[in-house]
Amino acid sequence: MHDLNPQPDGAWLTVPDRDYEELESEILRVHRDSRAGEMQVEFGRIYECPDCGRVMWARPGDSTYVVFAREL
Ligand SMILES: [Zn+2]
């Protein structure tokens, strides 16, 4: 069994490098104006199994997780 149950505080967030400047702008906007609402930039999520190191990754905007096994 792999401990890959998605948990909000156990995830790594991923953003494409090409979207990073937009993300910075969004963070500044949301911090300056509490009425600015939620950020528009979408994050991908990665969870890592603490036992075997497998990761499951959902890319930004995609709810399907792909599992990657560590090479031994
Ligand atoms: Zn595992």
Side-chain angles (χ1 to χ4, degrees):
M1 285 297 288
H2 308 291
D3 182 14
L4 295 174
N5 293 323
Q7 298 169 0
D9 51 3
W12 296 81
L13 300 178
T14 67
V15 175
D17 197 14
R18 65 175 176 272
D19 293 343
Y20 190 73
E21 279 189 32
E22 185 185 349
L23 174 63
E24 284 184 313
S25 301
E26 289 266 315
I27 290 171
L28 289 173
R29 184 177 60 80
V30 169
H31 278 262
R32 276 199 211 101
D33 182 359
S34 60
R35 298 162 301 176
E38 303 209 344
M39 294 199 299
Q40 301 300 310
V41 173
E42 289 190 280
F43 294 100
R45 288 180 175 276
I46 292 176
Y47 298 89
E48 180 181 26
C49 176
D51 295 326
C52 68
R54 279 181 172 83
V55 298
M56 55 188 289
W57 182 25
R59 292 166 189 259
D62 191 346
S63 60
T64 302
Y65 282 87
V66 179
V67 178
F68 298 85
R70 183 178 290 180
E71 278 193 274
L72 299 175

Coordinates of all heavy atoms in Angstrom, one line a residue:
M1 N 0.8 -1.2 0.0 CA 0.0 0.0 0.0 C 0.9 1.3 0.0 O 1.9 1.3 0.6 CB -0.9 0.0 1.2 CG -2.1 -0.9 1.2 SD -3.2 -0.6 -0.2 CE -4.0 1.0 0.5
H2 N 0.4 2.2 -0.7 CA 1.1 3.5 -0.8 C 0.3 4.6 -0.1 O -0.9 4.6 -0.2 CB 1.4 3.9 -2.2 CG 2.0 2.8 -3.0 ND1 3.3 2.4 -2.7 CD2 1.6 2.0 -3.9 CE1 3.6 1.4 -3.5 NE2 2.6 1.2 -4.3
D3 N 1.0 5.3 0.8 CA 0.3 6.4 1.5 C 0.2 7.6 0.6 O 0.9 8.6 0.7 CB 1.1 6.7 2.8 CG 0.4 7.8 3.6 OD1 -0.8 8.1 3.3 OD2 1.0 8.3 4.5
L4 N -0.8 7.5 -0.4 CA -0.9 8.6 -1.4 C -2.2 9.3 -1.2 O -2.7 10.0 -2.2 CB -0.7 8.0 -2.8 CG 0.7 7.4 -3.1 CD1 0.7 6.8 -4.4 CD2 1.7 8.5 -3.0
N5 N -2.9 9.1 -0.1 CA -4.2 9.8 0.1 C -3.9 11.3 0.0 O -3.1 11.8 0.8 CB -4.8 9.5 1.4 CG -5.3 8.0 1.4 OD1 -5.7 7.5 0.4 ND2 -5.1 7.4 2.6
P6 N -4.6 12.0 -0.9 CA -4.4 13.5 -1.0 C -4.7 14.1 0.3 O -5.9 14.0 0.8 CB -5.3 13.9 -2.1 CG -5.5 12.7 -3.0 CD -5.4 11.5 -2.0
Q7 N -3.8 14.8 0.9 CA -4.1 15.7 2.1 C -3.6 17.1 1.8 O -2.4 17.2 1.3 CB -3.3 15.1 3.3 CG -3.7 13.7 3.6 CD -2.8 13.0 4.7 OE1 -1.8 13.7 5.1 NE2 -3.1 11.8 5.0
P8 N -4.4 18.0 2.1 CA -4.0 19.4 1.7 C -2.6 19.8 2.1 O -1.9 20.4 1.4 CB -5.1 20.3 2.3 CG -6.3 19.4 2.5 CD -5.7 18.0 2.7
D9 N -2.3 19.5 3.4 CA -1.0 20.0 3.9 C 0.2 19.0 3.5 O 1.3 19.3 3.9 CB -1.0 20.3 5.4 CG -1.6 19.1 6.1 OD1 -1.9 18.0 5.5 OD2 -1.8 19.1 7.3
G10 N -0.1 18.0 2.9 CA 0.9 17.0 2.5 C 1.3 17.2 1.0 O 2.2 16.5 0.5
A11 N 0.7 18.1 0.3 CA 0.9 18.3 -1.1 C 2.1 19.3 -1.4 O 2.3 20.2 -0.7 CB -0.3 18.7 -1.8
W12 N 2.7 19.0 -2.5 CA 3.6 20.0 -3.1 C 2.8 20.7 -4.3 O 2.1 20.0 -5.0 CB 4.9 19.3 -3.7 CG 5.7 18.7 -2.7 CD1 5.6 17.5 -2.2 CD2 6.9 19.2 -2.1 NE1 6.6 17.2 -1.3 CE2 7.4 18.3 -1.2 CE3 7.6 20.4 -2.3 CZ2 8.6 18.5 -0.5 CZ3 8.8 20.6 -1.6 CH2 9.2 19.6 -0.7
L13 N 2.9 22.0 -4.3 CA 2.2 22.7 -5.4 C 3.1 22.9 -6.6 O 4.3 23.3 -6.3 CB 1.6 24.0 -4.9 CG 0.6 23.9 -3.7 CD1 0.2 25.3 -3.3 CD2 -0.6 23.1 -4.1
T14 N 2.7 22.7 -7.8 CA 3.5 22.9 -9.0 C 2.9 24.0 -9.9 O 1.7 24.1 -10.0 CB 3.7 21.6 -9.8 OG1 2.5 21.2 -10.3 CG2 4.2 20.5 -8.9
V15 N 3.7 24.8 -10.5 CA 3.3 25.8 -11.4 C 4.3 25.8 -12.6 O 5.5 25.7 -12.3 CB 3.3 27.2 -10.8 CG1 3.0 28.3 -11.8 CG2 2.4 27.3 -9.6
P16 N 3.9 25.8 -13.8 CA 4.8 25.9 -14.9 C 5.7 27.1 -14.8 O 5.2 28.2 -14.5 CB 3.9 25.9 -16.2 CG 2.6 25.4 -15.7 CD 2.5 25.7 -14.3
D17 N 6.9 27.0 -15.2 CA 7.9 28.1 -15.1 C 7.4 29.3 -15.9 O 7.5 30.4 -15.5 CB 9.2 27.6 -15.6 CG 10.3 28.6 -15.2 OD1 10.1 29.4 -14.3 OD2 11.4 28.5 -15.7
R18 N 6.7 29.0 -17.0 CA 6.2 30.1 -17.9 C 5.1 30.9 -17.2 O 4.8 32.0 -17.6 CB 5.7 29.6 -19.2 CG 4.5 28.6 -19.1 CD 4.0 28.2 -20.5 NE 2.9 27.3 -20.3 CZ 3.0 26.0 -20.2 NH1 4.2 25.4 -20.3 NH2 2.0 25.2 -20.0
D19 N 4.5 30.3 -16.2 CA 3.4 31.0 -15.5 C 3.9 31.7 -14.2 O 3.1 32.3 -13.4 CB 2.3 30.1 -15.1 CG 1.5 29.5 -16.3 OD1 1.7 30.1 -17.4 OD2 0.8 28.5 -16.2
Y20 N 5.2 31.6 -13.9 CA 5.7 32.1 -12.6 C 5.5 33.6 -12.4 O 5.1 34.0 -11.3 CB 7.1 31.7 -12.4 CG 7.6 31.9 -11.0 CD1 7.2 31.1 -10.0 CD2 8.4 33.0 -10.7 CE1 7.6 31.3 -8.7 CE2 8.8 33.2 -9.4 CZ 8.4 32.4 -8.4 OH 8.7 32.6 -7.1
E21 N 5.8 34.4 -13.4 CA 5.6 35.9 -13.3 C 4.2 36.2 -13.0 O 3.9 37.1 -12.2 CB 6.1 36.6 -14.6 CG 7.6 36.7 -14.6 CD 8.0 37.6 -15.8 OE1 7.3 38.6 -16.1 OE2 9.1 37.4 -16.3
E22 N 3.2 35.5 -13.7 CA 1.8 35.7 -13.5 C 1.5 35.4 -12.0 O 0.7 36.1 -11.4 CB 1.0 34.9 -14.4 CG -0.5 35.2 -14.4 CD -1.3 34.2 -15.3 OE1 -0.7 33.6 -16.1 OE2 -2.5 34.2 -15.1
L23 N 2.0 34.3 -11.5 CA 1.8 33.9 -10.1 C 2.3 34.9 -9.2 O 1.5 35.3 -8.2 CB 2.5 32.5 -9.9 CG 2.4 32.0 -8.4 CD1 1.0 31.8 -8.0 CD2 3.3 30.8 -8.3
E24 N 3.5 35.5 -9.4 CA 4.0 36.5 -8.5 C 3.0 37.7 -8.5 O 2.7 38.3 -7.4 CB 5.3 37.0 -9.0 CG 6.5 36.1 -8.6 CD 7.8 36.6 -9.0 OE1 7.9 37.1 -10.2 OE2 8.7 36.6 -8.2
S25 N 2.5 38.1 -9.6 CA 1.6 39.2 -9.7 C 0.3 38.9 -9.0 O -0.3 39.8 -8.3 CB 1.2 39.5 -11.2 OG 2.4 39.9 -11.9
E26 N -0.2 37.7 -9.1 CA -1.4 37.3 -8.4 C -1.2 37.3 -6.9 O -2.1 37.8 -6.2 CB -1.8 35.9 -8.9 CG -2.3 35.8 -10.3 CD -3.8 35.8 -10.3 OE1 -4.5 35.2 -9.5 OE2 -4.3 36.6 -11.2
I27 N -0.1 36.8 -6.4 CA 0.1 36.8 -5.0 C 0.2 38.3 -4.5 O -0.5 38.5 -3.4 CB 1.5 36.1 -4.7 CG1 1.3 34.6 -4.9 CG2 1.9 36.3 -3.2 CD1 2.6 33.8 -4.9
L28 N 0.9 39.2 -5.2 CA 0.9 40.6 -4.7 C -0.5 41.2 -4.7 O -0.9 41.9 -3.8 CB 1.8 41.4 -5.6 CG 3.3 41.1 -5.5 CD1 4.1 41.8 -6.5 CD2 3.8 41.4 -4.1
R29 N -1.3 40.9 -5.8 CA -2.6 41.5 -5.9 C -3.5 41.0 -4.7 O -4.2 41.8 -4.1 CB -3.2 41.0 -7.2 CG -4.6 41.6 -7.5 CD -5.1 41.2 -8.9 NE -5.3 39.8 -9.0 CZ -6.3 39.1 -8.6 NH1 -7.3 39.7 -8.0 NH2 -6.4 37.8 -8.7
V30 N -3.5 39.7 -4.4 CA -4.3 39.1 -3.4 C -3.9 39.6 -2.0 O -4.7 39.9 -1.1 CB -4.3 37.6 -3.5 CG1 -5.0 37.0 -2.2 CG2 -5.0 37.1 -4.7
H31 N -2.6 39.8 -1.8 CA -2.1 40.3 -0.5 C -2.5 41.8 -0.3 O -2.7 42.2 0.8 CB -0.6 40.1 -0.3 CG -0.3 38.7 0.1 ND1 -0.1 38.3 1.4 CD2 -0.2 37.5 -0.6 CE1 0.1 37.0 1.5 NE2 0.0 36.5 0.3
R32 N -2.5 42.6 -1.4 CA -2.8 44.0 -1.3 C -4.2 44.2 -1.1 O -4.6 45.2 -0.4 CB -2.3 44.7 -2.6 CG -0.9 45.1 -2.7 CD -0.7 46.2 -3.7 NE 0.6 46.0 -4.3 CZ 0.9 45.5 -5.5 NH1 -0.1 45.0 -6.2 NH2 2.1 45.4 -6.0
D33 N -5.1 43.4 -1.7 CA -6.5 43.7 -1.7 C -7.3 42.4 -1.3 O -7.4 41.5 -2.0 CB -7.0 44.1 -3.1 CG -8.4 44.5 -3.1 OD1 -9.1 44.3 -2.1 OD2 -8.9 44.8 -4.2
S34 N -7.8 42.5 0.0 CA -8.5 41.3 0.5 C -9.7 41.0 -0.3 O -10.3 39.9 -0.2 CB -8.8 41.5 2.0 OG -9.6 42.6 2.2
R35 N -10.2 41.9 -1.1 CA -11.4 41.7 -1.8 C -11.1 41.2 -3.2 O -12.0 41.0 -4.1 CB -12.2 43.0 -2.0 CG -12.7 43.5 -0.7 CD -13.1 45.0 -0.8 NE -12.0 45.8 -1.3 CZ -12.0 47.1 -1.6 NH1 -13.1 47.7 -1.5 NH2 -10.9 47.7 -2.0
A36 N -9.8 40.9 -3.5 CA -9.4 40.5 -4.8 C -9.8 39.1 -5.2 O -9.8 38.7 -6.3 CB -7.9 40.6 -4.9
G37 N -10.3 38.3 -4.2 CA -10.8 37.0 -4.5 C -9.7 36.0 -4.6 O -8.5 36.3 -4.2
E38 N -10.0 34.9 -5.2 CA -9.0 33.8 -5.3 C -8.1 34.0 -6.4 O -8.4 34.7 -7.4 CB -9.7 32.5 -5.4 CG -10.7 32.2 -4.3 CD -10.9 30.7 -4.0 OE1 -10.5 29.9 -4.9 OE2 -11.4 30.4 -3.0
M39 N -6.9 33.4 -6.3 CA -5.9 33.5 -7.4 C -6.5 32.7 -8.6 O -7.1 31.7 -8.5 CB -4.6 32.9 -7.0 CG -4.0 33.8 -5.9 SD -2.2 33.4 -5.8 CE -2.2 31.7 -5.4
Q40 N -6.1 33.3 -9.8 CA -6.5 32.6 -11.1 C -5.6 31.6 -11.5 O -5.9 30.7 -12.3 CB -6.7 33.7 -12.1 CG -7.7 34.8 -11.8 CD -9.1 34.3 -11.6 OE1 -9.6 33.5 -12.4 NE2 -9.7 34.6 -10.4
V41 N -4.3 31.7 -11.1 CA -3.3 30.7 -11.5 C -3.7 29.3 -10.9 O -4.0 29.2 -9.7 CB -1.9 31.1 -11.1 CG1 -0.9 30.1 -11.3 CG2 -1.5 32.4 -11.8
E42 N -3.6 28.3 -11.7 CA -3.9 27.0 -11.2 C -2.7 26.2 -10.9 O -1.6 26.4 -11.5 CB -4.7 26.2 -12.3 CG -6.1 26.6 -12.6 CD -6.8 25.7 -13.5 OE1 -6.6 25.7 -14.7 OE2 -7.6 24.8 -12.9
F43 N -2.7 25.5 -9.8 CA -1.6 24.7 -9.3 C -1.8 23.2 -9.7 O -2.9 22.7 -9.7 CB -1.5 24.8 -7.8 CG -1.1 26.1 -7.3 CD1 -2.1 27.0 -6.7 CD2 0.2 26.6 -7.3 CE1 -1.8 28.2 -6.3 CE2 0.5 27.8 -6.8 CZ -0.5 28.7 -6.3
G44 N -0.7 22.6 -9.9 CA -0.7 21.1 -9.9 C -0.4 20.7 -8.5 O 0.1 21.5 -7.7
R45 N -0.6 19.4 -8.3 CA -0.3 18.9 -6.9 C 0.5 17.6 -7.0 O 0.2 16.7 -7.8 CB -1.6 18.6 -6.2 CG -2.3 19.9 -5.8 CD -3.6 19.6 -5.0 NE -4.2 20.8 -4.5 CZ -3.9 21.4 -3.4 NH1 -3.0 20.9 -2.6 NH2 -4.4 22.6 -3.0
I46 N 1.5 17.5 -6.1 CA 2.2 16.2 -6.0 C 2.2 15.7 -4.6 O 2.3 16.5 -3.6 CB 3.7 16.5 -6.4 CG1 3.9 16.8 -7.9 CG2 4.6 15.3 -6.0 CD1 5.3 17.2 -8.3
Y47 N 1.9 14.4 -4.4 CA 2.0 13.8 -3.1 C 3.1 12.7 -3.2 O 3.1 12.0 -4.2 CB 0.7 13.1 -2.8 CG -0.5 14.1 -2.6 CD1 -1.2 14.5 -3.7 CD2 -0.8 14.7 -1.4 CE1 -2.2 15.4 -3.6 CE2 -1.8 15.6 -1.3 CZ -2.5 16.0 -2.4 OH -3.5 16.9 -2.3
E48 N 3.8 12.5 -2.1 CA 4.9 11.5 -2.1 C 4.6 10.5 -1.1 O 4.3 10.8 0.1 CB 6.2 12.2 -1.8 CG 7.4 11.2 -1.8 CD 8.7 11.9 -1.5 OE1 8.7 13.0 -0.9 OE2 9.8 11.3 -1.9
C49 N 4.7 9.2 -1.5 CA 4.5 8.1 -0.5 C 5.8 8.1 0.4 O 6.9 7.9 0.0 CB 4.4 6.8 -1.2 SG 4.3 5.4 0.0
P50 N 5.6 8.2 1.8 CA 6.7 8.3 2.7 C 7.4 6.9 2.8 O 8.6 6.8 3.2 CB 6.1 8.6 4.0 CG 4.7 8.3 3.9 CD 4.3 8.4 2.5
D51 N 6.8 5.8 2.3 CA 7.4 4.5 2.4 C 8.3 4.2 1.2 O 9.4 3.7 1.4 CB 6.3 3.4 2.6 CG 5.5 3.6 3.9 OD1 6.2 4.0 4.9 OD2 4.3 3.3 3.9
C52 N 7.8 4.4 0.0 CA 8.5 3.9 -1.2 C 8.9 5.1 -2.1 O 9.6 4.8 -3.1 CB 7.7 2.9 -1.9 SG 6.2 3.6 -2.7
G53 N 8.5 6.3 -1.8 CA 9.0 7.4 -2.6 C 8.2 7.6 -3.9 O 8.5 8.5 -4.7
R54 N 7.2 6.7 -4.2 CA 6.4 7.0 -5.4 C 5.7 8.4 -5.2 O 5.4 8.8 -4.1 CB 5.3 5.9 -5.5 CG 5.7 4.6 -6.2 CD 4.6 3.7 -6.3 NE 4.9 2.5 -7.1 CZ 5.5 1.4 -6.6 NH1 5.9 1.4 -5.3 NH2 5.8 0.4 -7.3
V55 N 5.5 9.0 -6.3 CA 4.8 10.3 -6.3 C 3.6 10.2 -7.2 O 3.6 9.5 -8.2 CB 5.7 11.5 -6.7 CG1 6.8 11.7 -5.8 CG2 6.2 11.4 -8.2
M56 N 2.5 10.9 -6.9 CA 1.4 11.0 -7.8 C 1.3 12.5 -8.1 O 1.3 13.4 -7.2 CB 0.1 10.4 -7.2 CG -0.3 10.9 -5.8 SD -1.7 9.9 -5.1 CE -3.1 10.4 -6.1
W57 N 1.1 12.8 -9.3 CA 1.1 14.2 -9.8 C -0.1 14.5 -10.7 O -0.4 13.7 -11.6 CB 2.4 14.4 -10.6 CG 2.6 15.9 -11.1 CD1 2.0 17.0 -10.6 CD2 3.3 16.3 -12.2 NE1 2.4 18.1 -11.3 CE2 3.2 17.7 -12.3 CE3 4.1 15.6 -13.1 CZ2 3.9 18.4 -13.3 CZ3 4.8 16.3 -14.1 CH2 4.6 17.7 -14.2
A58 N -0.8 15.5 -10.3 CA -1.9 16.0 -11.1 C -1.4 17.4 -11.6 O -1.1 18.3 -10.9 CB -3.2 16.2 -10.4
R59 N -1.3 17.5 -12.9 CA -0.9 18.8 -13.5 C -1.9 19.9 -13.3 O -3.1 19.5 -13.1 CB -0.6 18.6 -15.0 CG 0.6 17.7 -15.3 CD 0.7 17.3 -16.7 NE 1.7 16.3 -16.9 CZ 2.9 16.5 -17.4 NH1 3.2 17.7 -17.8 NH2 3.8 15.5 -17.5
P60 N -1.5 21.1 -13.4 CA -2.5 22.2 -13.2 C -3.7 22.1 -14.2 O -3.5 21.8 -15.4 CB -1.7 23.5 -13.6 CG -0.3 23.1 -13.3 CD -0.2 21.6 -13.7
G61 N -4.9 22.2 -13.6 CA -6.1 22.1 -14.4 C -6.5 20.7 -14.7 O -7.5 20.4 -15.4
D62 N -5.8 19.7 -14.2 CA -6.1 18.3 -14.5 C -6.3 17.5 -13.2 O -5.4 17.6 -12.3 CB -4.9 17.6 -15.2 CG -5.3 16.3 -15.8 OD1 -6.3 15.7 -15.4 OD2 -4.5 15.8 -16.7
S63 N -7.4 16.9 -13.0 CA -7.7 16.2 -11.7 C -7.2 14.8 -11.7 O -7.4 14.0 -10.8 CB -9.2 16.3 -11.4 OG -10.0 15.6 -12.4
T64 N -6.7 14.3 -12.9 CA -6.2 13.0 -13.0 C -4.8 12.9 -12.5 O -3.9 13.6 -12.9 CB -6.2 12.5 -14.5 OG1 -7.6 12.6 -14.9 CG2 -5.8 11.0 -14.6
Y65 N -4.5 11.9 -11.5 CA -3.2 11.8 -11.0 C -2.4 10.7 -11.8 O -3.0 9.6 -12.0 CB -3.2 11.4 -9.5 CG -3.5 12.6 -8.6 CD1 -4.8 13.0 -8.4 CD2 -2.5 13.3 -8.1 CE1 -5.1 14.1 -7.6 CE2 -2.7 14.4 -7.3 CZ -4.0 14.8 -7.0 OH -4.3 15.9 -6.2
V66 N -1.2 10.9 -12.1 CA -0.3 9.9 -12.7 C 0.7 9.5 -11.6 O 1.3 10.4 -10.9 CB 0.4 10.5 -13.9 CG1 1.3 9.4 -14.5 CG2 -0.6 11.0 -15.0
V67 N 1.0 8.2 -11.5 CA 1.9 7.7 -10.4 C 3.2 7.4 -11.1 O 3.3 6.8 -12.1 CB 1.3 6.5 -9.7 CG1 2.3 5.9 -8.7 CG2 0.0 6.8 -9.1
F68 N 4.3 7.9 -10.4 CA 5.7 7.7 -10.9 C 6.4 6.9 -9.8 O 6.4 7.3 -8.6 CB 6.4 9.0 -11.1 CG 5.8 9.8 -12.2 CD1 4.7 10.7 -11.9 CD2 6.2 9.8 -13.5 CE1 4.1 11.5 -12.9 CE2 5.6 10.6 -14.5 CZ 4.6 11.4 -14.2
A69 N 7.0 5.8 -10.2 CA 7.8 5.0 -9.2 C 9.3 5.3 -9.3 O 9.8 5.6 -10.4 CB 7.6 3.5 -9.5
R70 N 9.9 5.4 -8.1 CA 11.4 5.7 -8.1 C 12.2 4.5 -8.6 O 11.9 3.4 -8.4 CB 11.7 5.9 -6.6 CG 13.2 6.3 -6.3 CD 13.4 6.5 -4.9 NE 12.7 7.7 -4.4 CZ 12.8 8.2 -3.2 NH1 13.4 7.5 -2.2 NH2 12.2 9.3 -2.8
E71 N 13.2 4.8 -9.4 CA 14.1 3.8 -9.9 C 15.0 3.3 -8.8 O 15.5 4.1 -8.0 CB 15.0 4.4 -11.0 CG 14.3 4.4 -12.4 CD 15.2 4.6 -13.5 OE1 15.5 5.8 -13.8 OE2 15.7 3.6 -14.1
L72 N 15.3 2.0 -8.7 CA 16.1 1.5 -7.7 C 17.5 1.1 -8.2 O 17.7 0.9 -9.3 CB 15.4 0.2 -7.1 CG 14.1 0.5 -6.4 CD1 13.5 -0.9 -6.0 CD2 14.2 1.4 -5.2
Ligands
ZN1 ZN 4.5 3.5 -1.4

